Amino acid sequence: AQSVTQLGSHVSVSEGALVLLRCNYSSSVPPYLFWYVQYPNQGLQLLLKYTTGATLVKGINGFEAEFKKSETSFHLTKPSAHMSDAAEYFCAVSYGGSQGNLIFGKGTKLSVKP
Amino acid sequence: GAGVSQSPSNKVTEKGKDVELRCDPISGHTALYWYRQSLGQGLEFLIYFQGNSAPDKSGLPSDRFSAERTGGSVSTLTIQRTQQEDSAVYLCASSSGDPQYFGPGTRLTVL
């Protein structure tokens, strides 16, 4: 079965440090790829997406992710963490193109220390 | 503009009762999805509606779960004879292509 793996259920960084959240998918067929963020007691908000074209995609709040087909990865990064980045982050894939249902990773909870 | 709305925001019910959860998608979005978020299982796809096509029900966990979408807009997810393992946050999303926009969810607690 197709799956999404997020390495590390909990990541802690200091304010100003690099944020790196890892995501790998299982299929050799490149899916559409998404990162969503969920703040406490809120719904999911789209951070960024990759469908086709440029493999480095930029999203909101200074986040970016790079699609690497050879590694079946779509890791999320931000050069400098801010306290407001503390949230849970979900990587998701769609194999049905623009209308497919999403398969989610288990999520990574990001903590930011002052 | 208005986003995806869901009601109620919280629902507490007793085991064995039926519940209905409502989703109002973004106006004009042809696709509507239901997902479930629980501690043990993470985020799981339940069902997908696209226009007037037959829905994709492949994610429904049992025949106690059903959903309908009236007039290509509002959707209702019904859970019959609720069980404690149905306790979760039920999320609705809509789209007109990608990406999917999510509502705030309904937190269901089955006692």
Side-chain angles (χ1 to χ4, degrees), chain A residues 22-106:
Chain A
R22 299 179 186 274
C23 173
N24 289 86
Y25 59 92
S26 62
S27 172
S28 60
V29 176
Y32 283 19
L33 295 149
F34 306 84
W35 276 99
Y36 283 86
V37 61
Q38 187 175 37
Y39 297 100
N41 299 313
Q42 294 188 27
L44 293 165
Q45 179 183 1
L46 179 73
L47 271 179
L48 47 78
K49 65 176 183 178
Y50 170 79
T51 55
T52 59
T55 56
L56 180 64
V57 292
K58 296 186 184 299
I60 62 171
N61 302 338
F63 284 92
E64 61 183 38
E66 185 171 12
F67 167 58
K68 292 188 177 180
K69 183 178 177 181
S70 61
E71 299 177 7
T72 60
S73 70
F74 191 56
H75 301 331
L76 181 71
T77 60
K78 182 174 180 177
S80 177
H82 191 272
M83 297 297 290
S84 60
D85 295 326
E88 190 156 20
Y89 293 79
F90 293 91
C91 181
V93 303
S94 167
Y95 290 100
S98 62
Q99 297 287 0
N101 60 279
L102 295 173
I103 301 170
F104 285 90
K106 294 290 189 185

